[in-house]
Amino acid sequence: MIEKLLKTRNPKSPNSSKFPQIMTRKSSLLKQTLILSAFTVLIIYVSFNTFLSYFTTTATAGVSATTSSFFAEQISRENFQEFPVKATGYERKVRVFMHDLPKKFTTGIIENHGLARGYSNLSKVSYPGHQHMGEWYLYSDLSRPESDRVGSPVVKVNDPEEADLFYVPVFSSLSLTVNPVQVGKVPVSDPVYSDEKMQDELIEWLEKQEYWRRNNGRDHVLFAGDPNALYRVLDRVKNAVLLLSDFGRVRSDQGSLVKDVIVPYAHRINVYNGDIGVDERKTLLFFMGNRYRKDGGKIRDMLFQLLEKEEDVLISHGTQSRESRRTATRGMHTSKFCLNPAGDTPSACRLFDSIVSLCVPLIVSDSIELPFEDVIDYRKIAIFVDTESSLKPGYLVKLLRAESTERILEYQKEMREVKRYFEYSDPNGTVNEIWREIGQKLPLIQLMINREKRLVKRDSIEPDCSCLCTNQSTLFTSL
Amino acid sequence: MIEKLLKTRNPKSPNSSKFPQIMTRKSSLLKQTLILSAFTVLIIYVSFNTFLSYFTTTATAGVSATTSSFFAEQISRENFQEFPVKATGYERKVRVFMHDLPKKFTTGIIENHGLARGYSNLSKVSYPGHQHMGEWYLYSDLSRPESDRVGSPVVKVNDPEEADLFYVPVFSSLSLTVNPVQVGKVPVSDPVYSDEKMQDELIEWLEKQEYWRRNNGRDHVLFAGDPNALYRVLDRVKNAVLLLSDFGRVRSDQGSLVKDVIVPYAHRINVYNGDIGVDERKTLLFFMGNRYRKDGGKIRDMLFQLLEKEEDVLISHGTQSRESRRTATRGMHTSKFCLNPAGDTPSACRLFDSIVSLCVPLIVSDSIELPFEDVIDYRKIAIFVDTESSLKPGYLVKLLRAESTERILEYQKEMREVKRYFEYSDPNGTVNEIWREIGQKLPLIQLMINREKRLVKRDSIEPDCSCLCTNQSTLFTSL
């Protein structure tokens, strides 16, 4: 590594023998730099000394409080004092290698998406804006030169041998929508593009890769933002870290909070840039979206029936279109609360629209999972109501009307604080936070890799699982 | 915090106005320091520049390899370039607060242990050496002043409000052995000390603590090294991170690789300080210990029958005593391989004795879990054989005799490399590695804490679990 560094010097001074010459020419500037640097070092030294003495004082006080003098003496006899400050590797950044996928799994899908919509100039098609475009942002991030990525929690490496983790940048969600939905029409019998074929070919490609095979995919990362993405091959990639919106279509042996990362949808509504406040938010509760959904989403029609008669509630059926997005933007920017019921699966893009609109989410989706929940306490930005309670006549509006202006302002303030977590285009936003979450999985991934290789066959044919459980009976409720 | 820092200055220069004076007196030394510092800064600057340019060059090459020029252009249009280098809190050390437990749960147990053995001078009793003394080392570590802990992966805090995690320094394993075992005698009807009472009182104390109650113990850490430690109250502390030797007596809803940390026993045999080599190791396989054990340990008697007739195998029954420890030391230091069968539970102290003796462990314990397996690949230091195969006549000795001297030396070399992980008294040894493992649990702990507080009751009364599973059918075997 050091050799490599020495070989690839700064292109602005490619010849190392020129170095003294540069020093002479820039000696005046250098002198100033030297003095400045020296003072910086001095200040750091003084601060550090002060810092250490603070700890020594308070911590020693701590010992005598909890330990009798004899045991304290025993403790000081231990070898500990000679502790050497060693690099433990603990704070090293996680290293990621992006697989050089054949084009048909990445930008080729963008081109196919354009072709299917009649674009003739393929050299100008770009990744289309939609709620699952996170896959584009992660691909873009790892495609940038490393010098643009200095603040990222992970380092991109160009040699797979140096990698801790492997990113497979397939556009699995875009692939689902390459063929335009033709409402009411007979499906084209022989469509040009096949998502299923793409999935099968991806597995075929992956299973040929040395680094995938090495650990059965455990150290690989794949984006499957749309609940239907990769549905056909989920069992073949289930060892990998999956970037998912929820576990709605994923079996518990295919995905879990322990193994995978919940990622936010890309919001589709413009960020509300006004100040916090309720004066411009006359509507109590707003919802616009599909009234009729499968599974957990059946609750939507019931909520419509309960709420549409309320005067300060704006609830309307609407499907995806530029026009409805305009209406929704207006609605979310002028309402105090935004209803977030379950869709076909527990999560929906609307939650992130609500947050960037500073419209307090009212979440009615019992099995929802939320992104970055290790660092975000969602009770500070949203109200959670269980499905059963939400269907009691009058319950929801009574609950919301009882929220004070002060409390709403607190929610709004907190939403403004965490907004960057839901901004894929923010240089310190969603992309970095997803990498941070992925990086945190590494110790368990490495444990599983080492452990699986030395395990011997046991009598049991039951899967050998390590779990983290929540006891339902001890749960808090929002009631 | 800054205020505190300013108030508690370096005691060696308590008066800040004396600073210029010190500067003048030490000006010569200072001048030298300045020059040295300036050059250091310069060297860092040059290296950093070189480093950056290396990444820019190679990474840009990476983009053009995987991305067509148009998409590359799109990527560079993204906002990413303006990335601000922000402190994300990602590399901050984990902060631990040690509960100020009543003495009866810590050093009081040492005193009771002494009393029960007739020591009259309690001011001189110390924590007795035994395989579960890890609990003493962690307590000692957190009792030291923070200035002695600079290389630790965790920072001790004296204010619980600043803590990420809470350590409960109960001596749960020592408590089990306070009353000496009286072989063949009727148990004392009213012993002075009761481990059960200690456990009950501990729970009573914990459940009164604000910080325990706040998150149902999820952010707490307890040592339960002996498989029977805390057995009576395991259900009451199961949310906490438990420091365990294995999961032999722990139900899957009480402990798991995801939630807990597997810790090593303290080795009881002296470290082998000689060089690697096989010349002084004439015995092929060595074992000394209890021939008769319960559960998985029943294999021991069967292995005795198979192995005791082999000429180059030394296998003998022996219970804990100073004399047998001497014999075992001699045996482990002069053998190539050391047999490690399951005991009453899958793990045993013997494994760590073998490692520090550079005697290659032959592990016959199908459900064993191993400490620090995220960083240690145990296939490099040990041989794993499943129980069924180990009982085939001639199988084990044939396997071991086939190992080349070269291979044995590799095992030994690797054991010498990882030895420090199993040295509780090493300033950069087991204690630090346990803290590192505990620190890695923090993101999942915080996720569970935030999630449990916002969860609403669901229809299901099934426990809500997140798991990481190993599919038995895809397992490698050592065969």
Side-chain angles (χ1 to χ4, degrees):
Chain A
M1 182 70 185
I2 291 169
E3 265 179 25
K4 269 191 191 170
L5 282 176
L6 290 175
K7 274 182 200 157
T8 53
R9 297 202 134 268
N10 189 334
K12 284 171 189 163
S13 61
N15 189 339
S16 62
S17 71
K18 280 186 186 164
F19 192 54
Q21 205 183 334
I22 295 167
M23 266 189 79
T24 323
R25 267 191 279 149
K26 298 198 173 165
S27 71
S28 165
L29 182 66
L30 196 65
K31 210 182 267 173
Q32 284 173 36
T33 313
L34 280 179
I35 293 168
L36 196 67
S37 315
F39 272 101
T40 312
V41 169
L42 188 70
I43 285 162
I44 291 169
Y45 174 70
V46 172
S47 319
F48 187 63
N49 247 4
T50 316
F51 188 68
L52 269 191
S53 90
Y54 162 69
F55 272 115
T56 318
T57 321
T58 49
T60 315
V63 178
S64 38
T66 53
T67 319
S68 79
S69 66
F70 173 69
F71 290 113
E73 195 187 301
Q74 253 191 304
I75 289 163
S76 74
R77 273 207 316 276
E78 311 266 356
N79 279 341
F80 290 130
Q81 297 92 324
E82 295 153 36
F83 191 91
V85 183
K86 265 196 191 176
T88 56
Y90 183 67
E91 290 176 6
R92 178 175 72 65
K93 281 192 185 179
V94 171
R95 292 163 302 200
V96 179
F97 175 81
M98 179 157 77
H99 271 297
D100 188 8
L101 276 191
K103 188 183 157 182
K104 63 180 170 184
F105 301 120
T106 58
T107 55
I109 300 180
I110 302 178
E111 292 176 357
N112 268 308
H113 188 272
L115 271 175
R117 278 151 193 80
Y119 289 97
S120 54
N121 187 354
L122 280 190
S123 71
K124 288 288 173 203
V125 291
S126 61
Y127 191 100
H130 64 77
Q131 57 188 11
H132 298 300
M133 65 185 302
E135 58 190 27
W136 166 255
Y137 281 99
L138 258 78
Y139 168 79
S140 307
D141 176 50
L142 286 187
S143 298
R144 291 182 299 147
E146 191 56 25
S147 56
D148 287 357
R149 304 186 65 264
V150 282
S152 173
V154 299
V155 170
K156 181 178 81 166
V157 292
N158 297 297
D159 179 356
E161 271 306 305
E162 291 176 5
D164 299 310
L165 296 174
F166 296 79
Y167 187 63
V168 182
V170 56
F171 293 159
S172 59
S173 295
L174 183 64
S175 179
L176 283 171
T177 63
V178 164
N179 297 318
V181 183
Q182 307 218 307
V183 185
K185 285 191 185 168
V186 181
V188 183
S189 61
D190 185 20
V192 183
Y193 183 83
S194 162
D195 173 52
E196 285 78 10
K197 189 162 158 272
M198 187 285 292
Q199 295 186 40
D200 292 342
E201 288 175 357
L202 177 72
I203 295 302
E204 200 182 318
W205 186 88
L206 271 178
E207 292 181 350
K208 277 187 195 146
Q209 303 305 307
E210 174 196 348
Y211 291 98
W212 174 272
R213 292 216 305 260
R214 194 174 61 173
N215 298 313
N216 288 318
R218 278 247 179 252
D219 47 5
H220 278 59
V221 182
L222 287 100
F223 216 117
D226 189 297
N228 291 322
L230 300 179
Y231 71 95
R232 206 179 148 82
V233 296
L234 222 44
D235 270 330
R236 309 282 281 274
V237 297
K238 68 178 179 185
N239 278 342
V241 177
L242 303 175
L243 310 182
L244 302 168
S245 299
D246 58 35
F247 299 117
R249 301 266 160 87
V250 176
R251 286 198 319 269
S252 67
D253 68 314
Q254 294 171 324
S256 81
L257 288 174
V258 173
K259 179 177 77 69
D260 307 306
V261 173
I262 297 294
V263 297
Y265 294 75
H267 62 83
R268 300 292 290 135
I269 285 219
N270 294 339
V271 172
Y272 177 77
N273 286 316
D275 219 341
I276 61 168
V278 293
D279 296 347
E280 305 296 314
R281 295 180 182 267
K282 301 294 182 203
T283 307
L284 178 73
L285 180 65
F286 176 81
F287 174 84
M288 184 171 168
N290 201 326
R291 178 172 183 158
Y292 307 101
R293 283 261 145 143
K294 288 179 283 188
D295 301 330
K298 284 179 189 151
I299 191 193
R300 290 187 175 191
D301 183 40
M302 298 186 251
L303 287 173
F304 263 78
Q305 293 173 34
L306 276 171
L307 292 168
E308 59 193 350
K309 55 180 184 254
E310 299 289 341
E311 231 174 57
D312 47 359
V313 174
L314 212 61
I315 185 164
S316 62
H317 177 74
T319 47
Q320 291 244 2
S321 74
R322 191 165 296 184
E323 178 49 31
S324 33
R325 224 163 58 229
R326 247 196 299 272
T327 316
T329 304
R330 216 170 21 246
M332 288 194 162
H333 287 190
T334 57
S335 302
K336 294 184 189 73
F337 299 95
C338 282
L339 180 63
N340 282 269
D344 288 349
T345 66
S347 71
C349 166
R350 188 170 295 102
L351 175 61
F352 309 100
D353 290 332
S354 310
I355 295 172
V356 300
S357 299
L358 301 192
C359 180
V360 186
L362 171 66
I363 299 176
V364 184
S365 178
D366 298 356
S367 301
I368 199 169
E369 296 299 345
L370 298 161
F372 316 127
E373 199 162 8
D374 57 329
V375 286
I376 297 177
D377 179 353
Y378 280 87
R379 286 176 310 160
K380 292 185 179 168
I381 59 169
I383 295 173
F384 293 86
V385 175
D386 62 297
T387 301
E388 201 186 321
S389 304
S390 76
L391 294 175
K392 290 180 196 157
Y395 181 87
L396 287 184
V397 281
K398 196 177 159 203
L399 180 82
L400 298 182
R401 284 178 193 139
E403 295 281 348
S404 67
T405 297
E406 205 176 19
R407 187 72 194 89
I408 296 173
L409 294 182
E410 276 172 26
Y411 282 122
Q412 291 179 344
K413 222 169 136 185
E414 195 66 27
M415 280 191 279
R416 216 171 40 179
E417 285 293 309
V418 299
K419 216 170 58 181
R420 72 166 180 90
Y421 284 85
F422 310 110
E423 284 280 29
Y424 274 97
S425 62
D426 186 327
N428 193 25
T430 316
V431 173
N432 277 1
E433 296 301 329
I434 291 176
W435 284 125
R436 187 182 49 73
E437 299 270 333
I438 294 170
Q440 287 171 353
K441 306 286 179 194
L442 188 58
L444 261 181
I445 291 172
Q446 287 175 331
L447 168 62
M448 292 303 276
I449 288 175
N450 282 332
R451 185 173 174 273
E452 281 173 8
K453 287 186 175 160
R454 61 87 185 160
L455 275 185
V456 294
K457 284 214 190 277
R458 304 183 192 180
D459 285 342
S460 161
I461 51 154
E462 287 292 295
D464 159 32
C465 297
S466 297
C467 305
L468 197 54
C469 301
T470 290
N471 188 349
Q472 293 279 318
S473 65
T474 63
L475 276 190
F476 294 71
T477 66
S478 62
L479 308 183
Chain B
M1 182 72 184
I2 290 170
E3 266 178 26
K4 271 190 192 172
L5 281 177
L6 291 174
K7 274 180 201 160
T8 53
R9 298 201 134 267
N10 189 336
K12 284 172 189 164
S13 61
N15 189 339
S16 63
S17 70
K18 282 187 186 165
F19 193 54
Q21 204 184 336
I22 294 168
M23 264 188 82
T24 322
R25 266 191 279 152
K26 299 197 173 167
S27 70
S28 166
L29 182 66
L30 196 65
K31 208 181 265 173
Q32 286 172 34
T33 315
L34 280 177
I35 293 167
L36 197 67
S37 315
F39 271 100
T40 313
V41 169
L42 187 71
I43 286 162
I44 291 169
Y45 172 71
V46 171
S47 316
F48 188 63
N49 246 3
T50 317
F51 188 67
L52 268 191
S53 87
Y54 162 68
F55 271 116
T56 318
T57 320
T58 50
T60 314
V63 178
S64 37
T66 54
T67 319
S68 77
S69 66
F70 174 69
F71 289 114
E73 197 187 300
Q74 252 191 306
I75 289 162
S76 75
R77 273 208 315 275
E78 312 267 357
N79 278 342
F80 290 130
Q81 296 95 325
E82 295 151 37
F83 191 92
V85 184
K86 265 196 191 175
T88 55
Y90 183 67
E91 290 176 7
R92 178 174 71 66
K93 279 193 186 180
V94 171
R95 291 163 302 202
V96 179
F97 175 81
M98 178 157 76
H99 272 295
D100 189 8
L101 277 190
K103 190 182 155 183
K104 62 180 171 183
F105 301 120
T106 58
T107 55
I109 299 179
I110 302 178
E111 292 176 357
N112 268 308
H113 188 273
L115 271 176
R117 279 153 192 79
Y119 288 97
S120 54
N121 187 357
L122 279 189
S123 71
K124 288 289 176 202
V125 292
S126 61
Y127 191 100
H130 63 77
Q131 58 188 9
H132 298 300
M133 66 185 303
E135 59 190 25
W136 165 255
Y137 282 99
L138 258 78
Y139 167 79
S140 307
D141 176 51
L142 286 186
S143 298
R144 291 182 299 148
E146 191 56 26
S147 56
D148 287 356
R149 302 187 66 266
V150 282
S152 173
V154 299
V155 169
K156 181 179 82 168
V157 293
N158 296 298
D159 178 355
E161 271 306 305
E162 291 176 3
D164 299 310
L165 296 174
F166 296 80
Y167 187 63
V168 182
V170 56
F171 293 158
S172 58
S173 296
L174 184 63
S175 178
L176 283 170
T177 63
V178 164
N179 296 318
V181 183
Q182 308 218 305
V183 185
K185 284 191 188 169
V186 182
V188 183
S189 61
D190 184 21
V192 182
Y193 183 82
S194 162
D195 173 52
E196 286 77 11
K197 190 162 157 271
M198 187 287 292
Q199 296 186 40
D200 292 343
E201 288 176 0
L202 177 72
I203 295 301
E204 200 183 315
W205 186 89
L206 271 178
E207 291 182 350
K208 275 189 197 143
Q209 304 305 308
E210 175 195 347
Y211 291 100
W212 174 271
R213 292 216 306 261
R214 193 175 61 173
N215 298 314
N216 287 319
R218 278 246 179 251
D219 46 5
H220 278 59
V221 182
L222 287 100
F223 217 116
D226 190 296
N228 291 321
L230 300 178
Y231 71 95
R232 206 179 148 82
V233 296
L234 223 43
D235 270 330
R236 308 282 282 273
V237 297
K238 69 178 181 185
N239 278 343
V241 177
L242 303 175
L243 310 182
L244 303 167
S245 299
D246 58 35
F247 300 117
R249 301 267 161 85
V250 176
R251 287 197 319 269
S252 67
D253 68 313
Q254 294 172 325
S256 80
L257 287 174
V258 173
K259 179 177 76 67
D260 307 306
V261 173
I262 297 293
V263 296
Y265 294 75
H267 63 82
R268 301 292 290 135
I269 285 221
N270 295 337
V271 173
Y272 176 78
N273 286 317
D275 218 341
I276 61 169
V278 293
D279 296 348
E280 306 295 314
R281 294 180 183 266
K282 301 293 182 203
T283 306
L284 178 74
L285 179 65
F286 176 82
F287 174 83
M288 184 172 168
N290 201 327
R291 179 172 182 157
Y292 307 102
R293 284 262 144 145
K294 289 179 282 188
D295 302 330
K298 284 179 188 149
I299 191 192
R300 291 189 176 191
D301 183 40
M302 298 186 252
L303 288 173
F304 263 77
Q305 293 174 35
L306 277 171
L307 293 168
E308 56 193 354
K309 55 180 184 254
E310 300 287 343
E311 231 174 58
D312 48 359
V313 173
L314 212 60
I315 185 162
S316 62
H317 177 73
T319 48
Q320 291 242 3
S321 74
R322 192 165 296 185
E323 178 48 33
S324 33
R325 229 170 47 232
R326 247 194 301 270
T327 316
T329 304
R330 215 169 24 245
M332 288 193 162
H333 286 191
T334 57
S335 303
K336 296 183 188 75
F337 300 94
C338 282
L339 180 63
N340 282 268
D344 288 349
T345 66
S347 71
C349 167
R350 188 170 295 103
L351 175 61
F352 310 101
D353 289 333
S354 309
I355 295 172
V356 300
S357 299
L358 301 193
C359 181
V360 186
L362 170 65
I363 299 176
V364 185
S365 177
D366 298 357
S367 300
I368 198 169
E369 297 298 347
L370 298 161
F372 317 126
E373 199 163 6
D374 58 329
V375 286
I376 297 177
D377 179 354
Y378 280 87
R379 286 177 310 158
K380 292 184 179 169
I381 59 169
I383 296 173
F384 293 86
V385 175
D386 62 299
T387 301
E388 201 186 321
S389 304
S390 76
L391 294 175
K392 291 180 196 158
Y395 181 87
L396 287 184
V397 282
K398 195 177 160 202
L399 180 83
L400 299 182
R401 283 179 193 138
E403 294 281 347
S404 66
T405 297
E406 205 178 16
R407 187 72 193 90
I408 296 172
L409 294 181
E410 276 172 26
Y411 282 122
Q412 291 179 346
K413 222 169 135 185
E414 196 67 28
M415 281 190 278
R416 214 170 43 181
E417 284 293 309
V418 300
K419 215 171 60 182
R420 71 166 180 89
Y421 285 84
F422 310 110
E423 283 280 29
Y424 274 98
S425 61
D426 186 328
N428 193 26
T430 315
V431 173
N432 277 1
E433 296 302 329
I434 291 176
W435 283 125
R436 186 182 50 73
E437 299 270 333
I438 294 171
Q440 287 171 354
K441 306 285 180 193
L442 188 58
L444 261 180
I445 292 172
Q446 286 174 331
L447 168 61
M448 292 303 276
I449 287 175
N450 282 333
R451 184 172 174 274
E452 280 172 9
K453 286 188 176 159
R454 61 88 184 160
L455 275 184
V456 294
K457 284 213 190 276
R458 305 182 191 180
D459 286 341
S460 162
I461 50 153
E462 288 292 295
D464 159 34
C465 297
S466 298
C467 304
L468 196 55
C469 301
T470 290
N471 188 349
Q472 293 279 319
S473 65
T474 64
L475 277 190
F476 294 71
T477 66
S478 61
L479 309 181

